[in-house]
């Protein structure tokens, strides 16, 4: 029987896609741009390395903590409404960040900005699902994925260019763009359907508190002591100056909060209620091990990106723009691999592509660690990052497939939300863990080198503390004075050593993820081409429960789990389906709620 011809999308629908794509671009640019503008921020606001870490980390950890929550809110209140609310939050906090007179206010702005981003990314998928059908839906997802890839490459370049004018423009430029996107969404996108239900508010609070405290532990452990207090923690008029470290107490509270969250979700799941996370899914081996791989990939991939711009600018003397150009090699490798992974799905399984990617990522990071020195040449750095980027493209393009392949159809939306949260948590914790390791190596390295040069232990430790607290930005000033030139050289050597250590550790984490894939033997398909009519939930990494990893459909989109600082895993869940899941991809929110009343 002949199927009726598809009605081609209208110009209004395509203009709505442009508005959504611009919103997604804003989210990714703000994930990546800070890596390049961090150096001028440190100098302008006179902040230390701990605050610098929080400027990077706050956005990512808030984003990760709220993915499950915002997906549920999208169901209950309508995707367009939550997307617009996220835009409003994003615009207001961009203005606050652009005008921030201190590191503290900038960190606060970045925290709340992460809330806006978490509202926008999963709802962007729901909007596309509801707006497009058939082949056009695959094309829309291709544009969505390509937008993320392009934004990840543009972010460092844009940040470097704006940093030469003022780092504040890196945030200020968002404001007119937000106004334009709001106008486009209101004019070209219809109101979204809603479902009836409730959100687990207690679970949402427990997860956010647990993840936030865990981030504090990883970032501030070297500052305040891991067990006993080594430096007073002052918050307003309050001071924590002795006894158990606030870091250790935060760790205990984090474990308790996350444990209570897990227990609550288990109880709700058994009672047939509406949990944020169905813990029963972890009894599926491919899902359990796949999420471990996802977490390790996030830790290994994005931790190194947080420290590279500091080394490039302060130790090698690159400008912010030049540092951004160096990171483009990473994005270029990811683009190349993402395009290649599309035709490969006909002969190479998703699991095999993930393994290839992990091996290449580890090889690229090992090469970077081996060449890191005080006079590393740009072309060697670019080659290492390009190889690493190829690995990112292969691994990210198919990791969602191997996580979701054995998940029951009715649980596909929630499972994809969990996988997205695992990826974002991995990238956030990777930044925290690897920057802590980098700065610890920097402090000890400077002290040891100066002590060997004959400086007293106290003086060497003092200079090491100054270099570390400035995140290396003081190296230029030290080099300008003959009396402290040797300290500047010691700092450059220590920064190179920090890159070496973090590179090897990241490579080890990725090899650990590779080992975990050896215990995976999915029972169902691992590539979409073998089952073009697979159900939408299993096929698509659906948009419902906050999934940021979108199964971008048909056109083999340039993997959006791009290179940089924690892009929101837009890994192509379905990278080889030439139109194969485009009809199936009427994923949950648009499909499940089609008969519900609009917002």
């Amino acid at each position: 029987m002949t199927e009726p011809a598809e009605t081609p999308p209208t110009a209004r629908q395509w203009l709505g896609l442009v508005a959504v794509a611009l919103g997604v671009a804003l989210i990714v640019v703000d994930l990546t741009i800070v890596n390049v503008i961090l150096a001028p921020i440190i100098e302008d606001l006179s902040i230390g390395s701990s605050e610098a870490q929080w400027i990077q980390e706050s956005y990512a950890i808030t984003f990760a903590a709220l993915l499950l929550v915002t997906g549920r809110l999208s169901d209950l209140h309508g995707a367009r409404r939550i997307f617009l609310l996220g835009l409003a939050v994003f615009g207001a906090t961009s203005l606050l960040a652009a005008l921030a007179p201190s590191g503290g206010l900038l960190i606060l702005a970045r925290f709340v900005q992460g809330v806006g981003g978490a509202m926008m990314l999963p709802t962007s998928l729901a909007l596309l699902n509801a707006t497009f059908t058939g082949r056009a839906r695959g094309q829309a997802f291709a544009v969505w994925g390509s937008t993320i890839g392009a934004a990840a490459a543009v972010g460092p370049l844009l940040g470097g260019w704006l940093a030469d004018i003022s780092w504040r423009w890196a945030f200020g430029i968002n404001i007119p763009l937000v106004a334009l996107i709001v106008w486009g969404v209101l004019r070209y996108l219809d109101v979204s359907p809603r479902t009836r239900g409730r959100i687990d508010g207690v679970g949402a609070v427990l997860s956010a508190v647990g993840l936030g405290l865990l981030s504090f532990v990883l970032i501030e452990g070297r500052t305040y002591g891991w067990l006993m207090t080594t430096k007073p923690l002052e918050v307003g008029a309050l001071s924590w100056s002795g006894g158990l470290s606030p870091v250790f107490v935060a760790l205990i509270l984090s474990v308790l909060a996350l444990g209570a969250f897990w227990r609550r979700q288990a109880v709700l799941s058994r009672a047939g209620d509406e949990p944020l996370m169905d813990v029963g899914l972890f009894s599926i081996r491919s899902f359990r091990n796949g999420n471990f791989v996802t977490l390790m990939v996030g830790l290994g991939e994005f931790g190194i990106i947080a420290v590279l711009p500091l080394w490039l600018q302060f130790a090698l003397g690159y400008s912010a723009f030049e540092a951004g150009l160096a990171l483009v090699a990473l994005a270029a490798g990811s683009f190349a691999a993402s395009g290649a992974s599309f035709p490969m799905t006909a002969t190479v399984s998703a699991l095999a592509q993930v393994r290839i990617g992990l091996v290449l990522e580890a090889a690229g990071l090992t090469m970077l660690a081996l060449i890191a020195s005080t006079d590393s040449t740009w072309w060697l750095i670019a080659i290492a990052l390009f190889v690493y980027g190829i690995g990112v493209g292969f691994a990210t393009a198919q990791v969602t497939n191997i996580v979701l392949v054995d998940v029951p159809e009715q649980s596909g939306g929630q499972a994809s939300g969990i996988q997205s949260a695992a990826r974002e948590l991995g990238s956030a914790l990777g930044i925290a863990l690897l920057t802590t390791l980098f700065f610890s190596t920097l402090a000890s390295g400077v002290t040891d080198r100066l002590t060997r040069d004959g400086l007293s232990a106290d003086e060497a430790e003092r200079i090491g503390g100054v270099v570390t607290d400035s995140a290396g930005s003081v190296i230029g000033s030290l080099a300008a004075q003959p009396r402290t030139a040797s300290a500047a050289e010691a700092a450059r050597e220590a920064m190179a050593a920090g890159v070496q250590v973090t590179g090897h550790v990241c490579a080890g984490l990725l090899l650990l993820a590779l080992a975990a894939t050896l215990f995976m033997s999915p029972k169902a398909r691992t590539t979409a081409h073998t089952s073009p009519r697979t159900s939408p939930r299993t096929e698509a990494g659906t948009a419902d429960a906050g999934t940021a990893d979108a199964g971008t459909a048909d056109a083999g989109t340039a993997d959006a789990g791009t290179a940089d600082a924690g892009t929101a895993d837009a890994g192509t869940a379905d990278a080889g389906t030439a139109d194969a899941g485009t009809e199936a991809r009427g994923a949950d929110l648009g499909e499940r709620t089609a008969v519900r009343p609009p917002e």
Side-chain angles (χ1 to χ4, degrees), residues 510-523:
L510 292 166
L511 291 177
L512 184 61
L514 177 64
T517 67
L518 301 178
F519 297 94
M520 298 180 66
S521 54
K523 298 173 185 176

Side-chain angles (χ1 to χ4, degrees), residues 136-209:
R137 179 177 289 144
Q139 295 169 341
F141 273 106
V143 172
W144 185 91
S146 298
T147 297
I148 291 185
V154 168
L157 279 174
L158 181 63
W161 175 60
L162 292 174
D164 290 338
I165 305 171
S166 171
W167 63 265
R168 297 181 185 276
W169 278 106
F171 299 109
I173 199 173
N174 292 341
I175 299 165
L177 291 174
V178 164
L180 176 64
I181 296 166
V182 168
W183 175 81
V185 170
L186 290 173
R187 182 174 177 83
Y188 297 115
L189 289 173
D190 295 328
V191 295
S192 303
R194 295 179 289 173
T195 61
R196 294 184 178 89
R198 67 178 186 86
I199 192 168
D200 177 19
V202 174
V205 171
L206 286 172
S207 65
V209 169

Side-chain angles (χ1 to χ4, degrees), residues 191-274:
V191 295
S192 303
R194 295 179 289 173
T195 61
R196 294 184 178 89
R198 67 178 186 86
I199 192 168
D200 177 19
V202 174
V205 171
L206 286 172
S207 65
V209 169
L211 294 173
L213 288 173
L214 184 58
S215 177
F216 171 80
V217 168
L218 291 170
I219 291 176
E220 302 291 0
R222 66 183 181 85
T223 302
Y224 301 109
W226 295 102
L227 181 59
M228 304 302 293
T229 302
T230 58
K231 177 183 176 181
L233 169 63
E234 297 179 355
V235 181
L238 301 176
S239 177
W240 189 315
S241 57
L244 286 175
S245 168
V247 170
F248 182 75
V249 174
L251 177 61
I252 298 300
L253 294 175
S254 174
V255 171
L256 292 175
L258 292 176
F261 170 75
W262 181 277
R263 180 177 178 81
R264 179 176 176 81
Q265 301 313 296
V267 170
L268 291 176
S269 296
R270 288 195 297 268
D273 210 330
E274 302 178 67

Side-chain angles (χ1 to χ4, degrees), residues 472-559:
S473 64
V474 75
I475 290 177
S477 300
L478 293 175
Q481 301 294 327
R483 184 172 58 87
T484 55
S486 61
E489 184 61 24
R492 291 192 186 98
E493 293 175 356
M495 288 195 89
V499 172
Q500 294 167 11
V501 171
T502 52
H504 286 305
V505 169
C506 281
L509 290 171
L510 292 166
L511 291 177
L512 184 61
L514 177 64
T517 67
L518 301 178
F519 297 94
M520 298 180 66
S521 54
K523 298 173 185 176
R525 59 177 175 81
T526 57
T527 55
H529 76 281
T530 60
S531 182
R533 294 291 175 187
T534 307
S535 68
R537 288 185 175 278
T538 314
E539 162 113 357
T542 56
D544 167 48
T547 170
D549 54 278
T552 63
D554 98 303
T557 74
D559 163 48

Side-chain angles (χ1 to χ4, degrees), residues 307-319 322-323 326 368 371-382 385 472 475-476 488-489 491-493 495-496 499:
V307 302
L308 276 180
L310 299 178
W311 172 59
L312 293 172
Q313 291 178 75
F314 296 143
L316 299 185
Y318 287 28
S319 67
E322 290 169 337
L368 183 66
I371 66 172
S373 66
T374 57
D375 58 354
S376 300
T377 57
W378 69 268
W379 61 271
L380 280 176
I381 296 172
L385 292 178
I475 290 177
E489 184 61 24
R492 291 192 186 98
E493 293 175 356
M495 288 195 89
V499 172

